[in-house]
Amino acid sequence: MFIDEVVVEVFGGKGGNGMASYRREKYVEYGGPWGGNGGRGGSVIFVGESGKQNLIDLKYQHHIRAKAGENGMSKGMHGANAEHRYIKVPLGTVVYNSDKSFFLGEITSHAQELVVANGGKGGRGNIAFATSRNPAPNYAENGDPGETRKLLVELKVLADVGLLGYPSVGKST
């Protein structure tokens, strides 16, 4: 089965939330804020693969989601960034939004990457909000949501034509 046009919905990962916590130890006189930042969400990335011939893999993946970033933790530890989601597509793939009003890009070479949905930014913890006027803030930011897009993925097809036969036999087309 040859598939050359597919509609796919992609979701970038949500950024992790920041944390509001405080340092409370026995011999530390002024503890202060101790909440870490959240990690960045993963992006959805199309990668060119020279061995692929059609979009059959995307035909059965209607929704492609990247993972969310981890939340910030106490002791000033930042959450981990999420891994990106890589989808292999054949060379000559063209990506539009669903109504073809916006052109996202084209993949023309092997291992070329095209980011189709960015992940969200992680939220800041209360360490990031500490100032001389407010040395112990009791709030933190939530992570941003990732991008959501409905895409039309098309494959440009180039046909190779050749004539078979012995030399000088009079092949006419």
Side-chain angles (χ1 to χ4, degrees):
M1 181 186 302
F2 183 74
I3 307 293
D4 65 343
E5 187 173 295
V6 176
V7 175
V8 177
E9 197 166 3
V10 292
F11 302 91
K14 179 188 177 302
N17 298 332
M19 182 173 213
S21 69
Y22 298 95
R23 185 172 183 179
R24 294 177 129 338
E25 296 178 39
K26 186 173 183 181
Y27 297 109
V28 177
E29 188 173 350
Y30 300 108
W34 224 18
N37 299 339
R40 186 167 178 78
S43 299
V44 178
I45 302 172
F46 285 176
V47 180
E49 179 70 30
S50 60
K52 288 199 170 282
Q53 301 298 323
N54 58 19
L55 299 171
I56 191 75
D57 297 338
L58 289 178
K59 171 96 172 136
Y60 301 108
Q61 287 185 344
H62 299 291
H63 303 288
I64 300 171
R65 297 179 190 277
K67 294 185 177 178
E70 287 187 16
N71 295 334
M73 295 166 271
S74 63
K75 297 184 182 179
M77 293 188 290
H78 299 303
N81 294 337
E83 293 180 6
H84 299 303
R85 177 87 186 266
Y86 294 98
I87 305 294
K88 293 182 180 179
V89 294
L91 302 183
T93 301
V94 182
V95 182
Y96 299 98
N97 66 345
S98 62
D99 59 352
K100 268 194 160 179
S101 63
F102 182 70
F103 172 73
L104 255 69
E106 179 178 3
I107 296 178
T108 56
S109 62
H110 181 71
Q112 178 185 353
E113 295 183 355
L114 175 66
V115 178
V116 293
N118 286 314
K121 188 181 125 205
R124 295 179 289 175
N126 65 343
I127 288 179
F129 294 111
T131 61
S132 60
R133 292 182 144 220
N134 185 8
N138 60 353
Y139 53 89
E141 279 183 339
N142 290 331
D144 292 338
E147 288 182 340
T148 300
R149 288 188 173 153
K150 195 165 190 174
L151 303 175
L152 174 67
V153 182
E154 289 183 349
L155 179 61
K156 288 184 179 177
V157 180
L158 188 66
D160 293 330
V161 177
L163 297 174
L164 297 174
Y166 291 106
S168 65
V169 175
K171 292 174 274 299
S172 65
T173 54

